[in-house]
Amino acid sequence: MIAASLYFGPSTLNTFFTSFDYTSFNQQLQSAGFTNIQAAWANAQTLFMSGGSDNCSGTGSGVRTAFTYNNIPLSNPAGIFDQLAIFTYQDTVTSTGAGGNAYIADNTTSPYQGQQGMEHEFNSTDSGGARSDALYAYEGWMNSISSRTDITLLNAWGCGTTQTQDIRLESVGSGDLLYKLQHGYEGYYLAQSHLVNETTPSSDGPSAKGFYFDQQVWNIVLSKVQPC
């Protein structure tokens, strides 16, 4: 959403939302041959147009409203990113997790140990109980890196205490994640152990999802941005 607002402009994007018409949009999908999208949202017309509740106890106001994230408008992309950063990098760095069931594979200690900014996916929960997993953490980092890169390169980042805080949090979280992926992280989710490193699992691990590109974006672009 941040990228779309920077490309189209907040006003244009919000106009798309507030004037959204399900029937018209569905016809455009049909003309374009996007049958999978049509099938996925075939029963959502009322929710799209008017909001309400779904079968999983979720609620929403529908599409026809100006977009905000935690009451922050599209005109403040750095503010939206700040909310994401505060959630993503909310924990204090540890080298183990899930009650000791998760740990750095070579039993070393993260160089960021004790600092604020570890990704929350190293200290989370799921239906099996405690969860600490580097792949979940990497997938969150993918979004964080791409979002802040867009904001930075399109000159929408700005300066201030918010940006300074986010740079600090993301620097700690990124360094910690990259260390754990380099050394391997014996993670724990759904009450089972799973090793994750830069190339493991081979089919859907970090390297299969663009890790080396994201790593270069961090090393070459974002890590060079200093607070101002």
Side-chain angles (χ1 to χ4, degrees):
M1 192 59 67
I2 289 174
S5 71
L6 292 172
Y7 182 83
F8 295 106
S11 179
T12 299
L13 189 55
N14 277 326
T15 296
F16 171 81
F17 293 139
T18 57
S19 62
F20 180 82
D21 179 77
Y22 179 90
T23 301
S24 174
F25 190 67
N26 192 53
Q27 289 173 345
Q28 294 178 55
L29 292 175
Q30 184 173 356
S31 297
F34 294 152
T35 55
N36 288 341
I37 298 177
Q38 281 187 288
W41 299 104
N43 298 318
Q45 180 171 356
T46 300
L47 291 175
F48 269 138
M49 297 299 293
S50 306
S53 302
D54 60 22
N55 294 330
C56 299
S57 301
T59 62
S61 58
V63 175
R64 296 168 65 89
T65 185
F67 180 89
T68 61
Y69 184 79
N70 287 351
N71 296 317
I72 298 175
L74 286 173
S75 57
N76 184 8
I80 293 176
F81 179 85
D82 175 59
Q83 295 295 298
L84 297 171
I86 289 172
F87 178 82
T88 301
Y89 305 106
Q90 63 180 271
D91 288 282
T92 300
V93 175
T94 61
S95 300
T96 62
N101 289 307
Y103 50 89
I104 297 174
D106 59 4
N107 293 308
T108 56
T109 298
S110 170
Y112 299 88
Q113 181 90 0
Q115 297 184 45
Q116 185 72 22
M118 184 177 76
E119 286 197 74
H120 186 53
E121 289 296 351
F122 285 117
N123 184 33
S124 187
T125 59
D126 58 26
S127 61
R131 180 174 77 198
S132 182
D133 183 68
L135 186 55
Y136 277 98
Y138 169 66
E139 290 170 342
W141 190 66
M142 290 167 58
N143 175 64
S144 178
I145 292 300
S146 61
S147 295
R148 192 177 141 217
T149 299
D150 289 342
I151 299 170
T152 300
L153 296 183
L154 293 174
N155 298 315
W157 181 241
C159 291
T161 56
T162 294
Q163 289 86 341
T164 297
Q165 170 188 258
D166 293 345
I167 288 173
R168 179 180 58 81
L169 288 173
E170 192 173 50
S171 294
V172 171
S174 298
D176 177 60
L177 172 67
L178 292 173
Y179 182 87
K180 288 170 177 172
L181 290 176
Q182 180 184 14
H183 291 255
Y185 192 76
E186 193 70 46
Y188 192 77
Y189 69 89
L190 295 177
Q192 296 182 11
S193 296
H194 302 269
L195 176 66
V196 174
N197 58 36
E198 294 176 359
T199 58
T200 304
S202 60
S203 61
D204 66 345
S207 62
K209 296 182 177 183
F211 169 74
Y212 292 111
F213 173 82
D214 293 329
Q215 183 185 46
Q216 289 302 300
V217 169
W218 171 255
N219 288 336
I220 295 172
V221 182
L222 294 184
S223 70
K224 308 299 184 184
V225 178
Q226 298 298 317
C228 52

